[in-house]
Short mmCIF file of all heavy atoms in Angstrom, two decimals:
data_model
loop_
_atom_site.label_atom_id
_atom_site.label_comp_id
_atom_site.label_asym_id
_atom_site.label_seq_id
_atom_site.Cartn_x
_atom_site.Cartn_y
_atom_site.Cartn_z
N SER A 83 27.25 104.71 -137.56
CA SER A 83 28.24 103.63 -137.49
C SER A 83 27.61 102.34 -137.02
O SER A 83 27.89 101.26 -137.55
CB SER A 83 29.38 104.03 -136.54
OG SER A 83 30.02 105.20 -136.99
N PHE A 84 26.76 102.43 -136.02
CA PHE A 84 26.08 101.25 -135.49
C PHE A 84 25.23 100.57 -136.56
O PHE A 84 25.29 99.36 -136.77
CB PHE A 84 25.21 101.66 -134.31
CG PHE A 84 24.20 100.63 -133.89
CD1 PHE A 84 24.60 99.45 -133.28
CD2 PHE A 84 22.85 100.84 -134.11
CE1 PHE A 84 23.68 98.50 -132.89
CE2 PHE A 84 21.92 99.90 -133.73
CZ PHE A 84 22.34 98.73 -133.11
N LEU A 85 24.45 101.37 -137.30
CA LEU A 85 23.58 100.81 -138.33
C LEU A 85 24.39 100.27 -139.50
O LEU A 85 24.02 99.26 -140.10
CB LEU A 85 22.61 101.88 -138.82
CG LEU A 85 21.56 102.31 -137.77
CD1 LEU A 85 20.78 103.52 -138.28
CD2 LEU A 85 20.60 101.16 -137.48
N ALA A 86 25.48 100.94 -139.82
CA ALA A 86 26.32 100.46 -140.92
C ALA A 86 26.88 99.07 -140.61
O ALA A 86 26.89 98.19 -141.46
CB ALA A 86 27.47 101.44 -141.18
N VAL A 87 27.34 98.89 -139.39
CA VAL A 87 27.87 97.59 -138.98
C VAL A 87 26.78 96.53 -139.04
O VAL A 87 26.99 95.41 -139.52
CB VAL A 87 28.46 97.68 -137.55
CG1 VAL A 87 28.80 96.29 -137.04
CG2 VAL A 87 29.70 98.54 -137.55
N LEU A 88 25.59 96.87 -138.58
CA LEU A 88 24.49 95.90 -138.58
C LEU A 88 24.12 95.48 -139.99
O LEU A 88 23.93 94.30 -140.28
CB LEU A 88 23.26 96.50 -137.89
CG LEU A 88 23.36 96.73 -136.38
CD1 LEU A 88 22.05 97.31 -135.86
CD2 LEU A 88 23.68 95.43 -135.67
N VAL A 89 23.99 96.47 -140.89
CA VAL A 89 23.56 96.16 -142.25
C VAL A 89 24.63 95.38 -143.00
O VAL A 89 24.35 94.43 -143.71
CB VAL A 89 23.21 97.46 -143.00
CG1 VAL A 89 22.91 97.16 -144.46
CG2 VAL A 89 22.00 98.12 -142.36
N LEU A 90 25.91 95.79 -142.83
CA LEU A 90 26.98 95.10 -143.55
C LEU A 90 27.20 93.69 -143.04
O LEU A 90 27.33 92.74 -143.81
CB LEU A 90 28.28 95.90 -143.41
CG LEU A 90 28.38 97.18 -144.25
CD1 LEU A 90 29.65 97.93 -143.91
CD2 LEU A 90 28.32 96.87 -145.73
N PHE A 91 27.21 93.51 -141.71
CA PHE A 91 27.48 92.21 -141.11
C PHE A 91 26.30 91.26 -141.20
O PHE A 91 26.44 90.07 -141.02
CB PHE A 91 27.89 92.36 -139.65
CG PHE A 91 29.31 92.85 -139.48
CD1 PHE A 91 29.81 93.12 -138.20
CD2 PHE A 91 30.13 93.05 -140.58
CE1 PHE A 91 31.11 93.57 -138.04
CE2 PHE A 91 31.43 93.50 -140.41
CZ PHE A 91 31.91 93.76 -139.15
N SER A 92 25.11 91.80 -141.48
CA SER A 92 23.93 90.93 -141.54
C SER A 92 24.01 89.97 -142.73
O SER A 92 23.28 88.97 -142.77
CB SER A 92 22.66 91.78 -141.65
OG SER A 92 22.66 92.51 -142.86
N THR A 93 24.89 90.26 -143.69
CA THR A 93 25.01 89.41 -144.87
C THR A 93 26.19 88.45 -144.79
O THR A 93 26.40 87.65 -145.70
CB THR A 93 25.15 90.28 -146.14
OG1 THR A 93 26.30 91.11 -146.00
CG2 THR A 93 23.92 91.15 -146.33
N THR A 94 27.00 88.55 -143.73
CA THR A 94 28.16 87.68 -143.60
C THR A 94 27.78 86.40 -142.90
O THR A 94 26.76 86.30 -142.25
CB THR A 94 29.27 88.39 -142.80
OG1 THR A 94 28.80 88.60 -141.47
CG2 THR A 94 29.64 89.73 -143.43
N SER A 95 28.65 85.38 -143.03
CA SER A 95 28.36 84.09 -142.42
C SER A 95 28.36 84.18 -140.91
O SER A 95 27.65 83.44 -140.23
CB SER A 95 29.42 83.06 -142.87
OG SER A 95 30.73 83.52 -142.53
N LEU A 96 29.17 85.13 -140.36
CA LEU A 96 29.25 85.26 -138.91
C LEU A 96 27.92 85.71 -138.33
O LEU A 96 27.52 85.28 -137.25
CB LEU A 96 30.35 86.27 -138.54
CG LEU A 96 30.59 86.52 -137.05
CD1 LEU A 96 30.97 85.21 -136.36
CD2 LEU A 96 31.64 87.59 -136.84
N PHE A 97 27.21 86.57 -139.04
CA PHE A 97 25.95 87.09 -138.56
C PHE A 97 24.76 86.62 -139.40
O PHE A 97 23.70 87.22 -139.38
CB PHE A 97 25.96 88.63 -138.55
CG PHE A 97 26.86 89.21 -137.49
CD1 PHE A 97 28.22 89.35 -137.73
CD2 PHE A 97 26.36 89.59 -136.27
CE1 PHE A 97 29.06 89.89 -136.77
CE2 PHE A 97 27.19 90.13 -135.29
CZ PHE A 97 28.54 90.27 -135.54
N ALA A 98 24.94 85.55 -140.12
CA ALA A 98 23.88 85.08 -141.01
C ALA A 98 22.64 84.69 -140.24
O ALA A 98 21.52 84.79 -140.73
CB ALA A 98 24.39 83.89 -141.83
N GLN A 99 22.83 84.20 -139.01
CA GLN A 99 21.69 83.77 -138.22
C GLN A 99 20.94 84.95 -137.62
O GLN A 99 19.86 84.77 -137.07
CB GLN A 99 22.14 82.82 -137.11
CG GLN A 99 22.93 83.49 -135.99
CD GLN A 99 24.40 83.68 -136.35
OE1 GLN A 99 24.78 83.51 -137.52
NE2 GLN A 99 25.20 84.02 -135.38
N LYS A 100 21.50 86.17 -137.67
CA LYS A 100 20.85 87.34 -137.09
C LYS A 100 20.92 88.52 -138.03
O LYS A 100 21.97 89.14 -138.18
CB LYS A 100 21.52 87.68 -135.75
CG LYS A 100 20.96 88.93 -135.08
CD LYS A 100 19.48 88.79 -134.78
CE LYS A 100 18.97 90.02 -134.07
NZ LYS A 100 17.52 89.93 -133.82
N LYS A 101 19.82 88.83 -138.69
CA LYS A 101 19.74 89.98 -139.57
C LYS A 101 18.88 91.04 -138.89
O LYS A 101 17.74 90.81 -138.56
CB LYS A 101 19.14 89.61 -140.93
CG LYS A 101 20.02 88.66 -141.73
CD LYS A 101 19.43 88.40 -143.10
CE LYS A 101 20.32 87.47 -143.92
NZ LYS A 101 19.78 87.21 -145.27
N TRP A 102 19.47 92.20 -138.68
CA TRP A 102 18.79 93.26 -137.96
C TRP A 102 17.80 93.98 -138.87
O TRP A 102 18.17 94.53 -139.90
CB TRP A 102 19.80 94.26 -137.42
CG TRP A 102 20.57 93.74 -136.26
CD1 TRP A 102 21.56 92.80 -136.28
CD2 TRP A 102 20.41 94.11 -134.89
NE1 TRP A 102 22.03 92.57 -135.01
CE2 TRP A 102 21.35 93.35 -134.14
CE3 TRP A 102 19.57 95.00 -134.22
CZ2 TRP A 102 21.45 93.48 -132.76
CZ3 TRP A 102 19.69 95.12 -132.85
CH2 TRP A 102 20.61 94.36 -132.13
N THR A 103 16.54 93.98 -138.47
CA THR A 103 15.52 94.72 -139.20
C THR A 103 15.44 96.14 -138.66
O THR A 103 16.03 96.47 -137.63
CB THR A 103 14.15 94.04 -139.04
OG1 THR A 103 13.74 94.10 -137.65
CG2 THR A 103 14.21 92.58 -139.48
N LEU A 104 14.69 96.98 -139.36
CA LEU A 104 14.51 98.36 -138.90
C LEU A 104 13.85 98.38 -137.53
O LEU A 104 14.25 99.16 -136.64
CB LEU A 104 13.67 99.13 -139.92
CG LEU A 104 13.28 100.57 -139.52
CD1 LEU A 104 14.52 101.41 -139.25
CD2 LEU A 104 12.42 101.20 -140.59
N GLU A 105 12.84 97.53 -137.34
CA GLU A 105 12.14 97.48 -136.07
C GLU A 105 13.08 97.09 -134.93
O GLU A 105 13.00 97.65 -133.82
CB GLU A 105 10.96 96.50 -136.14
CG GLU A 105 9.80 96.94 -137.01
CD GLU A 105 10.11 96.81 -138.50
OE1 GLU A 105 11.11 96.12 -138.83
OE2 GLU A 105 9.37 97.41 -139.31
N GLU A 106 13.97 96.15 -135.18
CA GLU A 106 14.92 95.73 -134.15
C GLU A 106 15.93 96.83 -133.84
O GLU A 106 16.30 97.01 -132.67
CB GLU A 106 15.65 94.47 -134.61
CG GLU A 106 14.76 93.22 -134.62
CD GLU A 106 15.45 92.02 -135.24
OE1 GLU A 106 16.29 92.22 -136.14
OE2 GLU A 106 15.16 90.89 -134.82
N CYS A 107 16.35 97.55 -134.85
CA CYS A 107 17.28 98.66 -134.62
C CYS A 107 16.62 99.76 -133.78
O CYS A 107 17.24 100.32 -132.87
CB CYS A 107 17.74 99.24 -135.96
SG CYS A 107 18.84 98.15 -136.90
N ILE A 108 15.36 100.06 -134.09
CA ILE A 108 14.63 101.07 -133.33
C ILE A 108 14.46 100.62 -131.89
O ILE A 108 14.66 101.40 -130.95
CB ILE A 108 13.26 101.35 -133.98
CG1 ILE A 108 13.45 102.05 -135.34
CG2 ILE A 108 12.40 102.22 -133.07
CD1 ILE A 108 12.17 102.25 -136.11
N SER A 109 14.07 99.36 -131.71
CA SER A 109 13.86 98.82 -130.36
C SER A 109 15.16 98.88 -129.55
O SER A 109 15.16 99.26 -128.37
CB SER A 109 13.36 97.38 -130.44
OG SER A 109 13.23 96.82 -129.15
N TYR A 110 16.26 98.52 -130.18
CA TYR A 110 17.56 98.54 -129.50
C TYR A 110 17.94 99.96 -129.10
O TYR A 110 18.41 100.20 -127.98
CB TYR A 110 18.63 97.95 -130.42
CG TYR A 110 20.00 97.89 -129.79
CD1 TYR A 110 20.40 96.77 -129.04
CD2 TYR A 110 20.90 98.95 -129.92
CE1 TYR A 110 21.66 96.72 -128.46
CE2 TYR A 110 22.16 98.90 -129.34
CZ TYR A 110 22.53 97.79 -128.61
OH TYR A 110 23.77 97.75 -128.02
N ALA A 111 17.72 100.90 -130.02
CA ALA A 111 18.06 102.30 -129.75
C ALA A 111 17.22 102.86 -128.61
O ALA A 111 17.72 103.58 -127.75
CB ALA A 111 17.88 103.14 -131.01
N LEU A 112 15.92 102.53 -128.59
CA LEU A 112 15.04 103.03 -127.53
C LEU A 112 15.43 102.46 -126.17
O LEU A 112 15.34 103.15 -125.15
CB LEU A 112 13.58 102.67 -127.85
CG LEU A 112 12.97 103.37 -129.07
CD1 LEU A 112 11.55 102.87 -129.30
CD2 LEU A 112 12.96 104.89 -128.89
N GLN A 113 15.84 101.21 -126.16
CA GLN A 113 16.18 100.55 -124.89
C GLN A 113 17.53 101.00 -124.34
O GLN A 113 17.76 100.91 -123.13
CB GLN A 113 16.18 99.03 -125.07
CG GLN A 113 14.82 98.43 -125.33
CD GLN A 113 14.89 96.94 -125.63
OE1 GLN A 113 15.92 96.30 -125.45
NE2 GLN A 113 13.78 96.38 -126.09
N ASN A 114 18.41 101.49 -125.20
CA ASN A 114 19.77 101.82 -124.77
C ASN A 114 20.10 103.31 -124.87
O ASN A 114 21.25 103.69 -124.66
CB ASN A 114 20.78 101.02 -125.61
CG ASN A 114 20.70 99.53 -125.35
OD1 ASN A 114 21.31 99.01 -124.42
ND2 ASN A 114 19.94 98.82 -126.18
N ASN A 115 19.09 104.13 -125.18
CA ASN A 115 19.32 105.57 -125.26
C ASN A 115 19.46 106.14 -123.85
O ASN A 115 18.54 106.04 -123.03
CB ASN A 115 18.14 106.23 -126.00
CG ASN A 115 18.40 107.69 -126.27
OD1 ASN A 115 18.51 108.49 -125.34
ND2 ASN A 115 18.47 108.05 -127.53
N ILE A 116 20.61 106.75 -123.56
CA ILE A 116 20.89 107.28 -122.22
C ILE A 116 19.93 108.40 -121.86
O ILE A 116 19.45 108.49 -120.72
CB ILE A 116 22.34 107.78 -122.12
CG1 ILE A 116 23.32 106.63 -122.41
CG2 ILE A 116 22.60 108.38 -120.75
CD1 ILE A 116 23.19 105.47 -121.43
N GLN A 117 19.63 109.26 -122.83
CA GLN A 117 18.72 110.38 -122.56
C GLN A 117 17.33 109.89 -122.19
O GLN A 117 16.69 110.45 -121.29
CB GLN A 117 18.66 111.29 -123.78
CG GLN A 117 19.95 112.05 -124.04
CD GLN A 117 19.90 112.84 -125.33
OE1 GLN A 117 19.62 112.30 -126.39
NE2 GLN A 117 20.15 114.13 -125.23
N ILE A 118 16.86 108.85 -122.87
CA ILE A 118 15.54 108.30 -122.55
C ILE A 118 15.54 107.71 -121.15
O ILE A 118 14.60 107.90 -120.37
CB ILE A 118 15.12 107.25 -123.59
CG1 ILE A 118 14.89 107.91 -124.96
CG2 ILE A 118 13.86 106.52 -123.14
CD1 ILE A 118 14.53 106.93 -126.05
N LYS A 119 16.60 106.97 -120.81
CA LYS A 119 16.69 106.37 -119.49
C LYS A 119 16.67 107.44 -118.39
O LYS A 119 16.00 107.28 -117.36
CB LYS A 119 17.96 105.53 -119.38
CG LYS A 119 17.93 104.24 -120.19
CD LYS A 119 19.21 103.43 -119.99
CE LYS A 119 19.15 102.12 -120.75
NZ LYS A 119 20.37 101.31 -120.55
N ARG A 120 17.40 108.52 -118.62
CA ARG A 120 17.42 109.60 -117.64
C ARG A 120 16.05 110.23 -117.48
O ARG A 120 15.62 110.54 -116.36
CB ARG A 120 18.45 110.65 -118.05
CG ARG A 120 19.90 110.21 -117.91
CD ARG A 120 20.84 111.27 -118.43
NE ARG A 120 22.24 110.87 -118.27
CZ ARG A 120 23.26 111.56 -118.78
NH1 ARG A 120 23.04 112.68 -119.46
NH2 ARG A 120 24.51 111.14 -118.60
N GLU A 121 15.37 110.46 -118.60
CA GLU A 121 14.05 111.09 -118.55
C GLU A 121 13.03 110.17 -117.88
O GLU A 121 12.13 110.65 -117.18
CB GLU A 121 13.59 111.47 -119.96
CG GLU A 121 12.42 112.43 -119.99
CD GLU A 121 12.77 113.79 -119.43
OE1 GLU A 121 13.94 114.20 -119.52
OE2 GLU A 121 11.86 114.44 -118.88
N VAL A 122 13.15 108.88 -118.09
CA VAL A 122 12.25 107.92 -117.44
C VAL A 122 12.46 107.96 -115.93
O VAL A 122 11.48 107.96 -115.15
CB VAL A 122 12.48 106.50 -117.98
CG1 VAL A 122 11.76 105.46 -117.11
CG2 VAL A 122 11.98 106.39 -119.42
N LEU A 123 13.71 107.99 -115.49
CA LEU A 123 14.01 108.09 -114.06
C LEU A 123 13.45 109.39 -113.48
O LEU A 123 12.93 109.42 -112.36
CB LEU A 123 15.51 108.01 -113.82
CG LEU A 123 16.17 106.65 -114.09
CD1 LEU A 123 17.68 106.75 -113.90
CD2 LEU A 123 15.60 105.57 -113.17
N GLN A 124 13.56 110.47 -114.24
CA GLN A 124 13.04 111.75 -113.78
C GLN A 124 11.53 111.71 -113.65
O GLN A 124 10.96 112.25 -112.69
CB GLN A 124 13.46 112.86 -114.76
CG GLN A 124 13.11 114.26 -114.31
CD GLN A 124 13.94 114.74 -113.14
OE1 GLN A 124 14.85 114.05 -112.72
NE2 GLN A 124 13.63 115.90 -112.60
N SER A 125 10.86 111.07 -114.59
CA SER A 125 9.39 110.97 -114.54
C SER A 125 8.95 110.13 -113.34
O SER A 125 7.91 110.41 -112.72
CB SER A 125 8.85 110.36 -115.84
OG SER A 125 9.28 109.02 -116.00
N ARG A 126 9.73 109.11 -112.99
CA ARG A 126 9.41 108.31 -111.80
C ARG A 126 9.53 109.15 -110.54
O ARG A 126 8.72 109.00 -109.61
CB ARG A 126 10.33 107.09 -111.73
CG ARG A 126 10.07 106.05 -112.82
CD ARG A 126 11.09 104.93 -112.77
NE ARG A 126 10.86 103.96 -113.82
CZ ARG A 126 11.67 102.94 -114.10
NH1 ARG A 126 12.77 102.76 -113.36
NH2 ARG A 126 11.41 102.11 -115.08
N LYS A 127 10.54 110.01 -110.50
CA LYS A 127 10.70 110.90 -109.36
C LYS A 127 9.51 111.84 -109.24
O LYS A 127 8.96 112.05 -108.14
CB LYS A 127 11.98 111.71 -109.49
CG LYS A 127 12.17 112.75 -108.40
CD LYS A 127 13.39 113.60 -108.66
CE LYS A 127 13.52 114.68 -107.58
NZ LYS A 127 12.35 115.59 -107.56
N PHE A 128 9.08 112.41 -110.36
CA PHE A 128 7.93 113.31 -110.35
C PHE A 128 6.65 112.58 -109.92
O PHE A 128 5.78 113.17 -109.28
CB PHE A 128 7.74 113.96 -111.72
CG PHE A 128 8.75 115.02 -112.02
CD1 PHE A 128 9.35 115.08 -113.27
CD2 PHE A 128 9.11 115.96 -111.07
CE1 PHE A 128 10.29 116.06 -113.55
CE2 PHE A 128 10.04 116.95 -111.34
CZ PHE A 128 10.63 117.00 -112.59
N LYS A 129 6.55 111.30 -110.29
CA LYS A 129 5.38 110.52 -109.89
C LYS A 129 5.37 110.33 -108.37
O LYS A 129 4.30 110.42 -107.73
CB LYS A 129 5.41 109.15 -110.59
CG LYS A 129 4.14 108.34 -110.37
CD LYS A 129 4.17 107.06 -111.19
CE LYS A 129 2.87 106.28 -111.00
NZ LYS A 129 2.88 105.03 -111.81
#
């Protein structure tokens, strides 16, 4: 759903100034993935 909205809205005038590339979608997903954040916190504890 997230990617569908990005791809569809990237061609509209409202989002014309921001077209999401694959790299940007991956970066966004990595930064906002709850499981990754939890695992990073766990690794800090182990450190």
Side-chain angles (χ1 to χ4, degrees):
S83 299
F84 165 70
L85 292 172
V87 171
L88 291 181
V89 174
L90 285 175
F91 284 176
S92 64
T93 58
T94 65
S95 57
L96 181 59
F97 289 84
Q99 71 278 12
K100 178 60 178 177
K101 294 184 179 181
W102 286 74
T103 64
L104 174 59
E105 290 75 15
E106 289 173 329
C107 290
I108 292 175
S109 177
Y110 182 89
L112 293 177
Q113 292 175 11
N114 294 275
N115 187 296
I116 300 300
Q117 291 175 305
I118 293 178
K119 289 183 177 181
R120 289 176 179 173
E121 194 65 29
V122 168
L123 291 176
Q124 186 71 5
S125 65
R126 291 175 181 173
K127 175 185 177 299
F128 286 136
K129 187 175 182 180

